[in-house]
Each structure stands twice: as structure tokens, then as C-alpha cells.
Amino acid sequence: MNLSQLPKLDTSTQAFFRFRSLPNTKTVLLTGLEGNYLVLKDDEFARFAQGAVEKGSPLEKRLSDANFLRATFDTQKAADKWHDRRRFLDYGPNLHILVVTLRCNESCIYCHASRANMDAVQTDMSKETAEKAVDLIMQSTNPNVTIEFQGGEPMVNFPVVKHVIEYAREKNKAAKKQLEFTMVSNLSLFDDEKLKFLLENKVQICTSIDGPAHLHDKQRKMPGGSAHQTAAHWIKKINQAYETMGLDTTLYHVEALLTTTRDTLPLWKEVVDTYAELGCRALFLRPVDPFGWMEKTAQRVEYPRAEYMEFYRNAVDYMLELNRKGTQILERFASIFLTKILVDDPNFLDIRSPAGPGIGQLGYNYDGKIVTCDEGRMLYEGGDPSFVIGDVRTSTYRQIVGHETVRAMAIASNLDQQPDCVNCTYNPYCGTQTTHHHKNFGSIFGRMRESTLCAVHKGIQDYLFERIGQDDPAVMDVFTKWTTVRPRDHFLQDAAKG
Amino acid sequence: MSEPFKNPLVSTDLSKGSVLLEVDAAVYPLEALYGASYVFIDRAFVFLEKPNEQRYRVTISPKKPGADEAALQALVGEFSNELLSCAWRAQITQANRAVIEAVTLRAVAGAMGPPSLSELANFDFTDAPLEDPLGIAMSWEEKYKKKDKKPDAPVAAAPEKTAAPEKT
Amino acid sequence: MTRVSFDRSLYQGPCVDEAVKTFSAHASFQLTEEPKAWVVQLDAKTPELERQIAGELGNYALGLTIRTRGSRTP
């Protein structure tokens, strides 16, 4: 359906709307400024666009309820919702990434972080640098603060990880933040003592699983062993520990991330099965990014995004089937977009407008350099310092978040200034990554029609709205579960105790 | 077999390793031309000319010499896409300026928070010279006082040049 | 010798000057003014080097003009 196909338009009755034909469904999606939406059949859309909706008809009621009619437009509701969806603007960075080392004992074909060899001790963060980073973190205007340990493999520099946790807890006695810690690890350097420390200190644990063992081990080389077997062993052990501690294992479990390579694409069923067998209840079907080693390995690893979307649809269809049969597993992209569509903005930093760099997250490199985001430090390690905005030794908090690069990124990731996005039906739910554009186009603005990121975001939202439009109660039941955010209070540090 | 499409606004010069693009000044504002040019200065030499009021002329030469016809066509194609994108963005930002500024201000102010006492103590409260391009801060006498009339620079139409830099 | 003619309506004079100063160690430069252009003639050791310096000079002057002017015309 296309407006030019309609013989006569009367634009006097509609409120503001954007529209998009949903592929192969004979339906049209409408979205409004505040994130309201409606899926119409082609003939219903024609009547809407022609200003020929019958008075008192069910269609008129649906349009009115969804705030798409000028006569009944609820300005207050729209304004409140628009404001609510952007309440993240009122607070500073909540995600603080500490790159405690670049050293790593695994070697991944797509390594975005440009890992260093195990003897490269010069890439370890010192305790002094870590303390200065924590001092800055505690000045964030955000009452919620998560310190995320990344690498390399952060467990390589475990003494500094321990020190940061103890130092931050001590500092938090005065700062009184809702403080959390996350460890992003390949798990291979875990031992019982380290696990005990992490569990006692309520550190969330997150790892990478690239699918079935043969694929994981092919992509993530670990000298002298199977990276998959090791990760699987510790995932089960950690999940068991949560159970022993009396925690609800549907809520508390190891989070795992997938990096989708060309070899992953035919293995959508095996990937989902692997996650389900490991007890991972969330699967994030992330495509590869252009950072780090991808510059050299892209020819072997990259793929057209149309093929990725086929993979994505197959995998999520299969996950829906598993859910109907009682296995709880969700896809993270779907969960983020569905929450935006059906409930509210979940403040996912990479998919929001404006996006998170600088104003929602900060990165602290092992050498003390402060970057706008995780991708910023990946580029820095590759020799591009464009997203370095300070140094823990010399910068003040307000200098960092008020940096001109942060402001430029906030403007460039605002969809209301972006060609294509400004008219896109998915504008209320979407977001772009300036670092991605910088790498691919040489400009933080990028060009959406040529962006792989845009292709993925549009493709996923097409899929979700097709499913929503079908209105299958079983699917909608699963979708509703995927949008239910249950707080994981166990991971909150007790500010009073330090 | 049909001839490959030749864009009359584009010409390549393999001997100089450069491609030349004529840009309609009525369609593409200078803002957009600057924006697109800036994106390319890390990989190519970009030179701008204005042969007449209606046209800009852009010469793009890859920094690495020896580009063939296909590489030059691809480069100018990408430049044209970027130029179009910048032109549209210039329009959008003008139309949405208020909302973009409001959101950015709220985001940066929300992240920065109020200044601390020590930051206020170090703040320079002396009046820095303000830029005043419209002369708003000037007195009427200052603004309209008689100036020493200097002869206008000659404005005879310069002959159209070939793409610079040119070898002499 | 390479001659680069910077149109006054597109390049700011001080930015061209600054660019010449920046590259002055790498070639010899001669600056002249024409009614509609700032003209720079440069000599370098080899034609390849001259191409590179002329190109970088142009980029530098352009980048500086864009940076300096903000949203105003030159």
C-alpha cells in the first residue's frame, strides 16, 4: 500500500502519523509521535488516508483509542508519554565500563577489543588508575550506577577487579548509589575461590556463547582446551550456586551473548538449543560489528544483512515454538524493541534517541583514558582516538560529560535530525550508533540507507510488527512475558554496609 | 548492449588521478557541500571551486595515487550520496532545530548536573569578549558612523579555471 | 611548480595562511592575492611530493575554514 495508489486523499481528519507497509502481509503500520501504533489492513488504511472512516465504526474507535484522529487527539497523553519515554535524559551515565586489561587467554576470530597476549602486562589497569576511575564514576548524576568489568579477559587482572569492588563499595557509603557490578568474562580463568568472592559481592556474571561446541571452539580458540566446554561447566556451576543461595533461577542466571558470524547463519536451531540446554534464558542474536580484528577478518566473517534477517526470523520463530512448549527463552533484541513498543523505554543505551555515549555510559581504558562508550575504546585501541574525552588523572566529571564530542554524539544520534530516520515509522522505538557510522562512513551521522545497523533494526521491527499484526494470542502471550521487567534486587549493593 | 550511463556533471582525469563533480548551488547549499567534503578529507584530497553563481565544482583525488576509472567513479558516487544526505540533513535540522536543541540541552545538562562549589570558585566571571556578528551590542553611532570609503575590489568575472590544484 | 587558487567565497584567508604556515617546512610557498582568490604557488622536491603537499594544503585550509566558520558563510 502506497499513498500514491489512492485516488483521493483528505488529510483533514488524521493526527500526525508515519506509516509503513509490512512486507507480505497486506497490512500497514501506523506510528505516532509518542510511540503509539496501530496495524491496519490495506483497505482500512485507504479509508484512513482518504478521510473516509465511517462515524461510529469500530475502525474509528480503534484509531481514536490509539490517538490517530485529530478530532479526539489527546495532547496531554501524547506529551506525557513523549516525556516519559525520554526520562533517561535527566540522568547521567549509569553504565561505566572498566577495561581492566587487554590481556586474554582466548583468541576470537572477530575480537572487537583487539585483545593482547598474556605476557602484555603493560595493558593491565593499575589500582591507582582504577581508584581514580571509581572516584569519577561516583560523581555521576545518575542514582543507578553499574560498573562493568571488561577486557581482554578481566579475570586476568583479578586483583584490580577485587580492589575496585572493595573501593567502590567503600566510596558508595557516601555516594549512596544503587550500585551494581557486572563481570563480562569467558569464564575460563574462574576457580572456586574467585567465584566465591564474586557471588559474595553480588557480581552479575555475563559470558559469550557462540552456539554449539564445534562452532564456539572454531571461533574462540583456547590453547590446551575447549573454550565451550569450560564456559558450559562454569555456567552450570554458577547457576547451581544461585539455586543453592535460594534465588529464583528464572531471574538469576548467567547471561550469555552470541556474536553472529557467517558460520552461525545456518545453525539457528543449534544455537537456540545450545542456549536452552545451558539454562541461558536470554539469547542476544547480535550481528558482528566493524571494530577491532574485524577489519582484518571481515572477509571470512561478514555476511549480507538480508541473510542475517533470515537467520533471525528462523531463530525467533523457533524460540516462540519452544516457549509454547514450556521452555522459557527470550531473544534480547526482540525484548528491547517489544518493551519500547508495548510498554515503555527500557533505556537500552545503544538503541535510544539520543544514544548513550557520554550521557548514558562511559568507558575507562586500562591506561586511564576515558572514552564515550565501549566502541570508542575499541576504535582507540585500533589507533583512532576520536572518542577519547578525558583522562582519569586530569579530567573532572563535568569536563567529561560536557565534552564537545559527547554533545556532537548526542546530536548525531538524535533521530529527529537524521535523514530517513526522521520519516521512519520506527522512529519512536529506534536508535543509531555514532561510532558505527564513524567507522563505516567516516562521519558520526552515517547514511541510514547504506547502514547495516539500520537494516537490522528495521528488519527486526518489521518481523515483530508482522507478528503483532497477526494477533495470535499464544505469540502475544510470549511477547508480553518478554517485556516484563522484573528487578534483580539481589545484585544491588547495600550502600550502608559498603 | 546499451552504453553505460555517463553523468554529464562528472568527469574523471586518470592522468591526474582525480574526478570532478559539478554541483548545482540551487539544490545543494554550501553547508551540505562543506559537510560532505569534510567527510572525505581523510581519504582524498578535496578541492572546491565556484566557477559561477549557479555552480560549485568539486575535485576529488584519492590520497593514494593510481586510482582507476572504476575507483574514481565509486568515490564520486559515494561523495554524491553523502552530499545528498548532508543537504537533506541541513533542511531537517533547520525544521527541527528547536526540538533537537531542547533534547540535547536536557541530555547534557542532565548528565553534567550543577557545578560543584570548587568549580564555581574557579569560574572566570569576567566578561569575555562576545562575538557580535549582527552588531546588536554596538551603539547606533558606532554602527552607522561614516567609514573611510575604500574602493571596491575588482569583481570582473574570473575565467573558469580547470580543477585546481593545477600544474604549471 | 603547482598553483592552487582558493576561491575567497569558499575559503577563509586566515585559514589558507595557517595551512601554508603548517606545511612551510615541506615546500617553498609563494602567496599572492587575486580579486576572487587567494593564490598559493608551491615547489617541492618531487612531483609526487608536490601533489601530496598541495592536496594536504587544500584539505587543511578547507577543514580549518569549516571548523572556523561554524554555521556562518565565510
Side-chain angles (χ1 to χ4, degrees), chain A residues 64-84:
Chain A
S64 177
D65 289 350
N67 222 14
F68 283 109
L69 292 181
R70 199 175 292 189
T72 55
F73 188 74
D74 188 337
T75 311
Q76 189 62 50
K77 187 172 136 190
D80 288 349
K81 194 126 188 236
W82 190 93
H83 190 273
D84 277 358

Side-chain angles (χ1 to χ4, degrees), chain A residues 82-83 86-93 141 353-354 358-359 396-399 401-402 406-407 410-411 414 416-420 422-423 440-443 445-447 450, chain B residues 35 38-40 42-43 77-79 81-90 92-93 96 99-116 119:
Chain A
W82 190 93
H83 190 273
R86 282 166 181 79
R87 63 181 172 276
F88 57 76
L89 293 173
D90 297 329
Y91 306 101
T141 52
S353 170
I359 53 173
T396 67
Y397 170 76
R398 296 180 89 244
Q399 280 170 347
V401 294
V406 173
R407 294 201 303 270
I411 292 170
N414 186 330
D416 289 331
Q417 65 73 47
Q418 185 70 275
D420 211 33
V422 74
N423 294 332
N440 285 336
F441 299 100
S443 140
F445 294 98
R447 297 191 298 275
E450 299 168 62
Chain B
Y38 198 79
V39 170
F40 278 73
D42 62 339
R43 68 196 101 157
E78 206 191 327
F79 184 90
N81 281 358
E82 187 63 42
L83 183 60
L84 182 62
S85 183
C86 288
W88 189 12
R89 181 175 300 107
I92 296 167
T93 45
N96 288 353
V99 74
I100 295 165
E101 283 179 354
V103 166
T104 308
L105 185 68
R106 197 173 142 200
V108 176
M112 286 178 78
S116 65
E119 278 165 326

Side-chain angles (χ1 to χ4, degrees), chain A residues 22 27 29 37-39 334 337-339 341-342 429 460-473 475-476 479 483:
Chain A
L22 295 174
T27 58
L29 170 69
Y37 75 90
L38 200 57
V39 180
F337 279 119
L338 285 167
T339 308
I341 294 162
L342 301 172
Y429 320 117
I460 291 174
Q461 290 174 90
D462 275 345
Y463 170 79
L464 295 173
F465 272 111
E466 273 171 45
R467 287 299 213 158
I468 289 170
Q470 287 161 358
D471 205 19
D472 176 344
V475 170
M476 289 310 290
F479 278 2
T483 64

